Amino acid sequence: SGIGTFIQARRPFGIGAGMICLQGTSFAFLGAVLSAGFIVKQRGGSPEDILAMIFGVCFFGALVQILLSRFIGQLRRVITPLVTGIVITLIGVSLIKVGITDLGGGFHAPDFGAPGNLALGAFVLVVIFLLNRSAATWLRLSAIIIGLAVGSLAAWFSGKLVIQPLPDLPLISVPVPFKFGFAFDWTAFLPVALIYLISTLETVGDLTANCMLSRQPISGPSYIDRLKGGVLGDGVSGLVAATFSAFPNTTFAQNNGVIQLTGVASRYVGLYIGVVLMLLGLLPIIGAVLQQIPKPVLGGATLVMF
């Protein structure tokens, strides 16, 4: 995520949109990735064989997106604002479901929908909203992180947050390229390639919204050039992800929600975000700490962004 976000902001050799385009794993790939894994499992493959196949087909699938990026100008006749608008709306609607599920307590939570969960999530949502309306610039910029912190504190006082002992993890964990091996199968590849095509539609819509919020042109040669670079950046980010045993990356839609909330659209901020994410990725203990944030707290914050 950090490498992809940095590339999108820095735009080396024309790779990237030159904007804040936070990269992350898209849940749209989940079905195709699972089907690829089940194909190997049915053949009697080990967990390592399954992962080798998944990352292999995801690696080559990213090449599909890289190829598509060169024809965005021509594809704009098909990928009209109406098409991208519908795609982005559907993504937003599906993400809202995820946010509300977290706000209720998370998937399969025994106390799902309990008044305490709903109150905690609503409290975080209201805190973020009020801070975002503040006249103080730093409060507006920090609304989401303050909301998460205050919500976690409230969860601790109410007993919803029970701090668990941290696992025994190394201080620094460096990813190993193709740690589980590398495999390929056309049957497993085709569904993944199709999702990369759909992801390209999503990225075009996200980048268009990003341009609008960043007060950049949404028509003409500079706009098409930005779309080409952004989709290419997504493809390269997917290559990097597969190489380091992570699932396909794409430009996150809620990225635009944060830009709208904070009013910050500078690509230089994107460079810092990329570096911070890279450092966090090397420190597994940070992930263990963040995983302790209660689901209702996360739900209240993500619902605003979605």
Side-chain angles (χ1 to χ4, degrees):
S1 288
I3 293 171
T5 302
F6 187 90
I7 289 173
Q8 285 282 17
R10 185 69 178 81
R11 204 179 186 187
F13 310 109
I15 303 171
M19 299 188 294
I20 299 178
C21 297
L22 198 66
Q23 302 284 290
T25 297
S26 171
F27 74 95
F29 287 90
L30 188 58
V33 163
L34 285 172
S35 76
F38 283 128
I39 288 172
V40 180
K41 187 176 182 180
Q42 288 169 358
R43 297 172 183 169
S46 67
E48 288 75 16
D49 295 332
I50 291 172
L51 289 172
M53 177 64 73
I54 288 173
F55 297 129
V57 296
C58 287
F59 182 90
F60 284 108
L63 296 177
V64 172
Q65 193 168 31
I66 290 173
L67 180 64
L68 286 172
S69 72
R70 302 300 86 197
F71 301 97
I72 289 297
Q74 292 82 348
L75 289 174
R76 286 295 291 171
R77 298 171 186 172
V78 180
I79 311 175
T80 63
L82 176 62
V83 173
T84 55
I86 291 171
V87 170
I88 294 303
T89 301
L90 290 174
I91 291 168
V93 169
S94 60
L95 286 174
I96 285 172
K97 178 184 175 183
V98 176
I100 291 177
T101 302
D102 277 349
L103 190 144
F107 287 100
H108 307 302
D111 61 343
F112 183 81
N117 291 341
L118 299 178
L120 190 57
F123 171 66
V124 173
L125 195 152
V126 169
V127 167
I128 293 174
F129 176 77
L130 292 176
L131 290 175
N132 188 244
R133 305 303 299 170
S134 169
T137 304
W138 280 105
L139 286 179
R140 290 202 309 274
L141 294 177
S142 309
I144 294 171
I145 192 70
I146 292 175
L148 287 170
V150 171
S152 297
L153 193 61
W156 182 62
F157 278 118
S158 65
K160 288 288 182 183
L161 172 57
V162 179
I163 298 175
Q164 302 295 325
L166 294 176
D168 186 19
L169 295 169
L171 180 62
I172 297 177
S173 178
V174 180
V176 179
F178 301 114
K179 181 177 180 179
F180 303 101
F182 194 89
F184 181 81
D185 183 278
W186 280 104
T187 309
F189 169 73
L190 291 176
V192 172
L194 178 62
I195 302 301
Y196 267 108
L197 172 61
I198 296 170
S199 179
T200 300
L201 291 174
E202 178 188 354
T203 297
V204 169
D206 286 338
L207 292 174
T208 302
N210 198 328
C211 287
M212 291 175 65
L213 294 169
S214 306
R215 299 176 185 173
Q216 299 297 318
I218 54 171
S219 62
S222 64
Y223 168 63
I224 296 298
D225 191 46
R226 200 177 288 278
L227 290 184
K228 285 183 176 180
V231 174
L232 177 59
D234 264 23
V236 171
S237 185
L239 281 179
V240 173
T243 301
F244 291 116
S245 307
F247 297 118
N249 272 8
T250 185
T251 299
F252 266 25
Q254 56 266 41
N255 176 64
N256 295 317
V258 176
I259 291 174
Q260 193 166 21
L261 275 171
T262 62
V264 175
S266 169
R267 71 188 186 97
Y268 296 105
V269 174
L271 298 175
Y272 287 111
I273 293 171
V275 172
V276 168
L277 284 172
M278 283 186 244
L279 292 175
L280 292 178
L282 297 173
L283 303 172
I285 198 70
I286 300 294
V289 170
L290 294 178
Q291 280 184 318
Q292 303 211 26
I293 298 176
K295 288 292 184 182
V297 175
L298 282 176
T302 54
L303 194 59
V304 177
M305 294 185 283
F306 295 159

